[in-house]
Amino acid sequence: MRFSGKRVLVTGGARGIGAATAAAFLREGAAVAVGARSRESFAAFAAEHAGVSAAIGEIGSQKQAADVVRQAVDALGGLDILVNSAGYFAEVKVEDIDQAHWDRIMDTNVAGTFFCSQAALPELKRHKGNIVNVASDAGLIGYPNGAAYSASKAAVINLSRAMVLELAQQIRINCVCPGNVDTDMIQQAAVAAGDAPAYLSAANARSPMKRMARPEEVAATILYLASDDASFVNGAILSVDGGGVCGF
């Protein structure tokens, strides 16, 4: 029960890595608010996890992000930990990227991460809390058909570092970089690619361990970074990719 008495907001907490993370915090005693784009997606998560609070809305603008954080703070009575897990991924070739795709990637992955963090700062400073940002190995190495996504996750990594330089004496900020993770997001990408079995086989093969991560494995890393076990870990960029960034 490492998080007994702690109050946690997990954006993108109704699915994938975010859902696994929110569930793990609940198991370890935290009061958890789940950020979700819709009431329906939150309800699906809440049906299996009693006692969780809702923070509903988009996060791509300063005003929207502040509203989501406010909902969490109001529901929980404060905030100790923010996990920025909300993200958007779609494979688009460089020559086919349009303004709508670029804006959706950047609004969700970069603006959402920054403005949720900014809105949470007063509470996190007050309680000596911390932030864990979910980036990607795509922010460390290039992804084919993922120029916009790779750029957005590289931005999250350097955003994390830059914020540490300003805030390290008040809060901790760390970043996880998952590789391919067996979630509905990658299953949808596999279907969109046209040959789902081949896509998933290649996703497994990318890691030297020859499999994708389970969402729970990424969640465990996030909880470590958010815990007192990592009390002197600040500005870490931690790959959770089975060795994928080591090379091919």
Side-chain angles (χ1 to χ4, degrees), residues 17 19-20 23 35 64 89 115 149 160 165 167-168 177 185 218 227 234 237:
I17 292 170
Q64 290 170 322
F89 171 77
F115 286 123
Y149 182 76
S160 302
L165 295 178
L167 299 165
C177 295
M185 183 181 288
V218 183
S227 76
N234 210 353
I237 311 299

Side-chain angles (χ1 to χ4, degrees), residues 32-152:
V32 177
V34 166
R37 293 179 64 195
S38 69
R39 181 67 59 177
E40 291 74 22
S41 59
F42 168 78
F45 179 86
E48 298 182 3
H49 301 87
V52 69
S53 300
I56 307 301
E58 301 283 351
I59 58 169
S61 73
Q62 188 175 33
K63 183 176 183 299
Q64 290 170 322
D67 181 62
V68 168
V69 172
R70 178 194 56 77
Q71 291 177 57
V73 171
D74 288 349
L76 301 176
L79 194 65
D80 301 285
I81 298 165
L82 170 64
V83 178
N84 285 306
S85 182
Y88 174 67
F89 171 77
E91 293 189 333
V92 181
K93 293 181 178 181
V94 168
E95 58 264 43
D96 295 329
I97 293 173
D98 59 16
Q99 190 72 53
H101 174 73
W102 182 267
D103 288 347
R104 184 174 181 187
I105 288 273
M106 294 299 169
D107 287 351
T108 302
N109 297 356
V110 185
T113 294
F114 176 73
F115 286 123
C116 283
S117 299
Q118 184 188 61
L121 280 179
E123 283 293 316
L124 296 178
K125 287 180 179 180
R126 185 175 297 119
H127 302 291
K128 293 293 184 180
N130 70 84
I131 297 170
V132 182
N133 292 325
V134 180
S136 169
D137 63 347
L140 298 168
I141 58 176
Y143 261 47
N145 303 320
Y149 182 76
S150 297
S152 74

Side-chain angles (χ1 to χ4, degrees), residues 125-219:
K125 287 180 179 180
R126 185 175 297 119
H127 302 291
K128 293 293 184 180
N130 70 84
I131 297 170
V132 182
N133 292 325
V134 180
S136 169
D137 63 347
L140 298 168
I141 58 176
Y143 261 47
N145 303 320
Y149 182 76
S150 297
S152 74
K153 292 303 187 177
V156 170
I157 290 167
N158 229 27
L159 170 65
S160 302
R161 290 175 171 140
M163 289 179 67
V164 166
L165 295 178
E166 292 188 41
L167 299 165
Q169 295 185 55
Q170 299 164 295
I171 67 172
R172 295 187 301 109
I173 304 166
N174 292 293
C175 187
V176 296
C177 295
N180 288 321
V181 184
D182 191 6
T183 65
D184 58 346
M185 183 181 288
I186 201 165
Q187 296 291 336
Q188 292 166 1
V191 171
D195 187 344
Y199 185 99
L200 295 173
S201 178
N204 281 303
R206 274 196 64 250
S207 164
M209 293 178 70
K210 302 306 177 188
R211 68 171 178 87
M212 289 186 277
R214 300 185 301 275
E216 294 76 15
E217 291 175 306
V218 183

